[in-house]
Amino acid sequence: MIPVFDGHNDFLQRLVEPDADPLNIWLNGDGSGHIDLPRLREGGMFGGFFALWAPSPADPDGPDWHARQETPPYAVPLDPIIDTNTATAHMLRLAARLVALEREGNLSICRSVDEILDAKQAGRIAAILHMEGAEGISDPDMLHLWYRMGLRSLGPVWSRENHYGYGVPFEFPADPDTGPGLTQRGKELVAECDRLRILVDLAHLNAKGIEDVARISDAPLVSTHSGSHVQSASTRNLTDAQLEMIAGTKGLVGLNFAAGFTREDGKRLPFDGFDPYLRHLDHLLEKLGENGVALGSDFDGALLAAELSDASKLPALIGAMQDHGYGQELVEKIAWRNWMDILRRTWER
Ligand code: ZN
């Protein structure tokens, strides 16, 4: 079985739902979602980025944004700024759950590529602590505290406004150039991440925000979970000009499996087979080269292909890549080796 390392999951969010039994969900599954230890092992997924993310307060009068995304065109307005203290408390709960999984013994929070490879060797799941939207960081000192707690990857914004910048709203079809990018504080945050060698994730940034990161950071540009805008005209995807900018830094894109961001028609509905993913991979390979493409599933955070009902089905996707004509070496690069390479070039530069 070809191992898989993955650029994004929202598994931790499931562990803080009311009445959740975190260790039981992790060790045995609860029949929902995409990820738990048995299904990771069955699918060959030995690790990935585990996201800390804070929800916006529910808007009881707002439209059902999932339903709206089933019938493009749609434009979901950007969520407003959320309270930093509330977000920080939530993210600390999520991080504490990840530490609980580590204490249980079958997962390691990894701070270097060597630690990831050690965990892989030992049969433990290798987790990168990632923050999706910097709402859990009130000031630069807090960034340093999170770093000490193991944070090695940070997206300055989710698709929302925060004190660091403006995320990209969910729209289809639409260009990702949707408004202002990073604020002054956001630019300083990126610079401090660069000094600490924390990976700065481009996913959920708008076009101006991506340009800001490219100007400030001297690391390779990385989007952990996005796709090709040519293949699916979602604001969450990267235009050819953006892909060329990423390629210019020998950067990387992890393909997001979300149906609504991979289908040509943009509908947030499951599909049969894996053709949309293969079209995105072909295009990303054309623009980024064989070292610049990886996977960024969005497990537990998105609606996926019907045949990718959870992480245990990853071998079917790997098989589809092989049937599509990708050789063994390329498949292994996409499945995990490119993540190891870019993490070394980011963390150890
Ligand atoms: Zn995301």
Side-chain angles (χ1 to χ4, degrees):
M1 190 182 344
I2 291 184
V4 172
F5 192 87
D6 175 60
H8 188 89
N9 75 69
D10 293 306
F11 173 66
L12 296 174
Q13 194 64 34
R14 283 174 53 210
L15 304 185
V16 297
E17 299 296 334
D19 302 325
D21 179 352
L23 281 185
N24 186 49
I25 292 173
W26 173 237
L27 293 173
N28 306 310
D30 63 355
S32 75
H34 299 134
I35 283 184
D36 47 52
L37 183 62
R39 290 187 288 179
L40 290 177
R41 294 234 162 103
E42 197 183 334
M45 183 171 143
F46 69 93
F49 290 64
F50 284 64
L52 309 176
W53 173 84
S56 294
D59 175 11
D61 301 320
D64 179 344
W65 68 277
H66 280 168
R68 284 179 64 186
Q69 291 182 49
E70 290 174 5
T71 52
Y74 64 81
V76 182
L78 219 51
D79 282 347
I81 290 184
I82 59 172
D83 175 65
T84 301
N85 289 339
T86 309
T88 302
H90 185 85
M91 290 190 186
L92 283 169
R93 284 181 72 211
L94 295 173
R97 292 288 191 264
L98 190 62
V99 170
L101 303 191
E102 185 175 63
R103 283 157 52 223
E104 186 280 325
N106 281 293
L107 175 146
S108 292
I109 301 171
C110 296
R111 296 156 179 82
S112 69
V113 173
D114 286 344
E115 286 184 5
I116 294 173
L117 296 176
D118 285 350
K120 180 174 185 286
Q121 185 72 24
R124 292 189 304 270
I125 301 300
I128 295 174
L129 187 60
H130 168 75
M131 191 181 286
E132 185 175 38
E135 282 89 347
I137 296 172
S138 54
D139 56 49
D141 290 344
M142 188 68 96
L143 176 68
H144 282 257
L145 177 61
W146 277 110
Y147 179 81
R148 290 198 188 192
M149 292 194 286
L151 189 78
R152 290 296 179 275
S153 174
L154 170 69
V157 293
W158 183 66
S159 286
R160 179 165 56 204
E161 181 184 352
N162 68 21
H163 296 295
Y164 299 106
Y166 298 81
V168 72
F170 299 106
E171 297 180 14
F172 189 101
D175 191 274
D177 189 3
T178 55
L182 297 179
T183 61
Q184 185 56 34
R185 283 178 65 185
K187 292 172 185 171
E188 288 163 11
L189 180 75
V190 170
E192 197 62 16
C193 284
D194 240 33
R195 281 189 281 274
L196 285 165
R197 304 294 187 253
I198 293 173
L199 185 152
V200 176
D201 184 11
L202 303 181
H204 292 280
L205 281 164
N206 61 24
K208 294 269 191 314
I210 289 175
E211 285 167 22
D212 288 334
V213 173
R215 252 193 307 275
I216 297 161
S217 173
D218 60 17
L221 294 172
V222 174
S223 182
T224 58
H225 60 304
S226 298
S228 153
H229 195 269
V230 165
Q231 295 300 322
S232 179
S234 162
T235 47
R236 272 287 284 109
N237 287 334
L238 297 155
T239 64
D240 277 0
Q242 292 175 320
L243 292 174
E244 281 154 20
M245 186 166 65
I246 292 168
T249 69
K250 296 188 163 43
L252 175 141
V253 173
L255 175 66
N256 189 330
F257 299 166
F261 307 150
T262 46
R263 288 172 62 119
E264 242 172 335
D265 61 13
K267 290 181 179 171
R268 190 185 181 278
L269 292 170
F271 54 83
D272 294 328
F274 295 104
D275 283 353
Y277 298 161
L278 297 170
R279 280 199 297 270
H280 281 263
L281 288 173
D282 281 347
H283 192 84
L284 294 173
L285 285 166
E286 183 193 321
K287 292 292 169 188
L288 300 168
E290 294 199 354
N291 299 326
V293 184
L295 304 178
S297 68
D298 223 342
F299 281 141
D300 284 332
L303 180 119
L304 313 180
E307 287 166 49
L308 199 61
S309 49
D310 60 54
S312 74
K313 307 299 193 302
L314 280 165
L317 173 61
I318 299 291
M321 286 161 54
Q322 290 165 328
D323 293 345
H324 191 56
Y326 295 176
Q328 178 78 6
E329 193 188 340
L330 177 58
V331 171
E332 290 201 10
K333 281 183 170 192
I334 295 170
W336 71 282
R337 291 189 188 277
N338 283 345
W339 269 127
M340 299 305 109
D341 178 56
I342 197 87
L343 290 171
R344 273 204 201 280
R345 289 189 286 120
T346 304
W347 291 344
E348 300 174 16
R349 74 187 193 282

